[in-house]
mmCIF file of all heavy atoms in Angstrom:
data_model
loop_
_atom_site.group_PDB
_atom_site.id
_atom_site.type_symbol
_atom_site.label_atom_id
_atom_site.label_comp_id
_atom_site.label_asym_id
_atom_site.label_seq_id
_atom_site.Cartn_x
_atom_site.Cartn_y
_atom_site.Cartn_z
ATOM 1 N N LEU H 1576 -130.936 -102.965 -125.065
ATOM 2 C CA LEU H 1576 -132.190 -102.571 -124.419
ATOM 3 C C LEU H 1576 -132.032 -101.197 -123.776
ATOM 4 O O LEU H 1576 -131.004 -100.896 -123.165
ATOM 5 C CB LEU H 1576 -132.585 -103.578 -123.342
ATOM 6 C CG LEU H 1576 -132.796 -105.031 -123.791
ATOM 7 C CD1 LEU H 1576 -133.066 -105.918 -122.579
ATOM 8 C CD2 LEU H 1576 -133.938 -105.130 -124.783
ATOM 9 N N VAL H 1577 -133.062 -100.385 -123.906
ATOM 10 C CA VAL H 1577 -133.111 -99.099 -123.220
ATOM 11 C C VAL H 1577 -134.534 -98.871 -122.730
ATOM 12 O O VAL H 1577 -135.497 -99.250 -123.405
ATOM 13 C CB VAL H 1577 -132.654 -97.946 -124.144
ATOM 14 C CG1 VAL H 1577 -133.561 -97.817 -125.361
ATOM 15 C CG2 VAL H 1577 -132.601 -96.630 -123.389
ATOM 16 N N GLU H 1578 -134.681 -98.319 -121.530
ATOM 17 C CA GLU H 1578 -136.008 -98.059 -120.967
ATOM 18 C C GLU H 1578 -136.503 -96.694 -121.407
ATOM 19 O O GLU H 1578 -135.832 -95.678 -121.195
ATOM 20 C CB GLU H 1578 -135.956 -98.126 -119.439
ATOM 21 C CG GLU H 1578 -137.305 -97.856 -118.772
ATOM 22 C CD GLU H 1578 -137.217 -97.894 -117.259
ATOM 23 O OE1 GLU H 1578 -136.643 -98.868 -116.725
ATOM 24 O OE2 GLU H 1578 -137.708 -96.934 -116.625
ATOM 25 N N HIS H 1579 -137.667 -96.676 -122.039
ATOM 26 C CA HIS H 1579 -138.297 -95.427 -122.460
ATOM 27 C C HIS H 1579 -139.811 -95.582 -122.361
ATOM 28 O O HIS H 1579 -140.350 -96.621 -122.751
ATOM 29 C CB HIS H 1579 -137.970 -95.094 -123.920
ATOM 30 C CG HIS H 1579 -136.650 -94.409 -124.125
ATOM 31 N ND1 HIS H 1579 -136.180 -93.411 -123.297
ATOM 32 C CD2 HIS H 1579 -135.711 -94.569 -125.100
ATOM 33 C CE1 HIS H 1579 -135.003 -92.997 -123.744
ATOM 34 N NE2 HIS H 1579 -134.699 -93.682 -124.818
ATOM 35 N N GLU H 1580 -140.489 -94.565 -121.869
ATOM 36 C CA GLU H 1580 -141.936 -94.514 -122.006
ATOM 37 C C GLU H 1580 -142.263 -94.300 -123.487
ATOM 38 O O GLU H 1580 -141.412 -93.836 -124.258
ATOM 39 C CB GLU H 1580 -142.522 -93.397 -121.150
ATOM 40 C CG GLU H 1580 -142.430 -93.653 -119.638
ATOM 41 C CD GLU H 1580 -143.294 -94.825 -119.174
ATOM 42 O OE1 GLU H 1580 -144.197 -95.246 -119.917
ATOM 43 O OE2 GLU H 1580 -143.061 -95.306 -118.044
ATOM 44 N N PRO H 1581 -143.482 -94.662 -123.931
ATOM 45 C CA PRO H 1581 -143.783 -94.664 -125.371
ATOM 46 C C PRO H 1581 -143.401 -93.409 -126.160
ATOM 47 O O PRO H 1581 -142.788 -93.538 -127.226
ATOM 48 C CB PRO H 1581 -145.288 -94.942 -125.394
ATOM 49 C CG PRO H 1581 -145.485 -95.848 -124.223
ATOM 50 C CD PRO H 1581 -144.585 -95.288 -123.162
ATOM 51 N N PRO H 1582 -143.702 -92.185 -125.701
ATOM 52 C CA PRO H 1582 -143.326 -91.029 -126.536
ATOM 53 C C PRO H 1582 -141.819 -90.946 -126.788
ATOM 54 O O PRO H 1582 -141.384 -90.656 -127.907
ATOM 55 C CB PRO H 1582 -143.836 -89.832 -125.721
ATOM 56 C CG PRO H 1582 -144.954 -90.386 -124.899
ATOM 57 C CD PRO H 1582 -144.503 -91.766 -124.527
ATOM 58 N N ASP H 1583 -141.022 -91.213 -125.745
ATOM 59 C CA ASP H 1583 -139.575 -91.167 -125.915
ATOM 60 C C ASP H 1583 -139.086 -92.341 -126.759
ATOM 61 O O ASP H 1583 -138.105 -92.221 -127.501
ATOM 62 C CB ASP H 1583 -138.876 -91.185 -124.549
ATOM 63 C CG ASP H 1583 -139.126 -89.909 -123.765
ATOM 64 O OD1 ASP H 1583 -139.335 -88.858 -124.401
ATOM 65 O OD2 ASP H 1583 -139.114 -89.964 -122.523
ATOM 66 N N ALA H 1584 -139.747 -93.489 -126.652
ATOM 67 C CA ALA H 1584 -139.375 -94.639 -127.473
ATOM 68 C C ALA H 1584 -139.602 -94.339 -128.954
ATOM 69 O O ALA H 1584 -138.788 -94.695 -129.807
ATOM 70 C CB ALA H 1584 -140.173 -95.873 -127.052
ATOM 71 N N VAL H 1585 -140.721 -93.665 -129.267
ATOM 72 C CA VAL H 1585 -141.002 -93.289 -130.657
ATOM 73 C C VAL H 1585 -139.963 -92.295 -131.160
ATOM 74 O O VAL H 1585 -139.493 -92.387 -132.300
ATOM 75 C CB VAL H 1585 -142.431 -92.723 -130.783
ATOM 76 C CG1 VAL H 1585 -142.652 -92.106 -132.164
ATOM 77 C CG2 VAL H 1585 -143.453 -93.828 -130.542
ATOM 78 N N ASP H 1586 -139.580 -91.328 -130.312
ATOM 79 C CA ASP H 1586 -138.536 -90.377 -130.705
ATOM 80 C C ASP H 1586 -137.229 -91.100 -131.010
ATOM 81 O O ASP H 1586 -136.539 -90.785 -131.988
ATOM 82 C CB ASP H 1586 -138.309 -89.345 -129.600
ATOM 83 C CG ASP H 1586 -139.456 -88.357 -129.463
ATOM 84 O OD1 ASP H 1586 -140.294 -88.287 -130.394
ATOM 85 O OD2 ASP H 1586 -139.521 -87.669 -128.426
ATOM 86 N N ALA H 1587 -136.869 -92.072 -130.168
ATOM 87 C CA ALA H 1587 -135.634 -92.826 -130.381
ATOM 88 C C ALA H 1587 -135.699 -93.632 -131.672
ATOM 89 O O ALA H 1587 -134.712 -93.744 -132.405
ATOM 90 C CB ALA H 1587 -135.368 -93.747 -129.187
ATOM 91 N N LEU H 1588 -136.868 -94.182 -131.967
ATOM 92 C CA LEU H 1588 -137.052 -94.937 -133.202
ATOM 93 C C LEU H 1588 -136.907 -94.018 -134.413
ATOM 94 O O LEU H 1588 -136.213 -94.343 -135.381
ATOM 95 C CB LEU H 1588 -138.429 -95.595 -133.200
ATOM 96 C CG LEU H 1588 -138.830 -96.363 -134.458
ATOM 97 C CD1 LEU H 1588 -137.933 -97.577 -134.654
ATOM 98 C CD2 LEU H 1588 -140.296 -96.784 -134.378
ATOM 99 N N GLN H 1589 -137.536 -92.877 -134.356
ATOM 100 C CA GLN H 1589 -137.526 -91.960 -135.485
ATOM 101 C C GLN H 1589 -136.127 -91.427 -135.763
ATOM 102 O O GLN H 1589 -135.745 -91.210 -136.914
ATOM 103 C CB GLN H 1589 -138.489 -90.794 -135.216
ATOM 104 C CG GLN H 1589 -138.681 -89.876 -136.408
ATOM 105 C CD GLN H 1589 -139.832 -88.913 -136.207
ATOM 106 O OE1 GLN H 1589 -140.916 -89.307 -135.802
ATOM 107 N NE2 GLN H 1589 -139.588 -87.651 -136.478
ATOM 108 N N SER H 1590 -135.325 -91.232 -134.711
ATOM 109 C CA SER H 1590 -133.970 -90.708 -134.885
ATOM 110 C C SER H 1590 -132.966 -91.781 -135.280
ATOM 111 O O SER H 1590 -131.819 -91.465 -135.591
ATOM 112 C CB SER H 1590 -133.506 -90.030 -133.598
ATOM 113 O OG SER H 1590 -133.286 -90.979 -132.570
ATOM 114 N N GLY H 1591 -133.388 -93.057 -135.267
ATOM 115 C CA GLY H 1591 -132.482 -94.141 -135.608
ATOM 116 C C GLY H 1591 -131.687 -94.665 -134.439
ATOM 117 O O GLY H 1591 -130.796 -95.497 -134.610
ATOM 118 N N ALA H 1592 -132.001 -94.207 -133.209
ATOM 119 C CA ALA H 1592 -131.266 -94.667 -132.034
ATOM 120 C C ALA H 1592 -131.630 -96.101 -131.652
ATOM 121 O O ALA H 1592 -130.840 -96.791 -131.005
ATOM 122 C CB ALA H 1592 -131.536 -93.734 -130.846
ATOM 123 N N VAL H 1593 -132.834 -96.548 -132.016
ATOM 124 C CA VAL H 1593 -133.244 -97.936 -131.779
ATOM 125 C C VAL H 1593 -133.898 -98.477 -133.051
ATOM 126 O O VAL H 1593 -134.290 -97.713 -133.932
ATOM 127 C CB VAL H 1593 -134.222 -98.078 -130.589
ATOM 128 C CG1 VAL H 1593 -133.574 -97.618 -129.295
ATOM 129 C CG2 VAL H 1593 -135.519 -97.317 -130.845
ATOM 130 N N ASP H 1594 -133.992 -99.792 -133.128
ATOM 131 C CA ASP H 1594 -134.607 -100.458 -134.282
ATOM 132 C C ASP H 1594 -136.087 -100.750 -134.052
ATOM 133 O O ASP H 1594 -136.867 -100.815 -135.000
ATOM 134 C CB ASP H 1594 -133.892 -101.780 -134.574
ATOM 135 C CG ASP H 1594 -132.400 -101.604 -134.677
ATOM 136 O OD1 ASP H 1594 -131.960 -100.850 -135.551
ATOM 137 O OD2 ASP H 1594 -131.671 -102.211 -133.859
#
Side-chain angles (χ1 to χ4, degrees):
L1576 301 175
V1577 61
E1578 180 181 311
H1579 277 319
E1580 291 293 343
D1583 292 332
V1585 170
D1586 289 345
L1588 176 65
Q1589 187 169 312
S1590 70
V1593 298
D1594 309 300

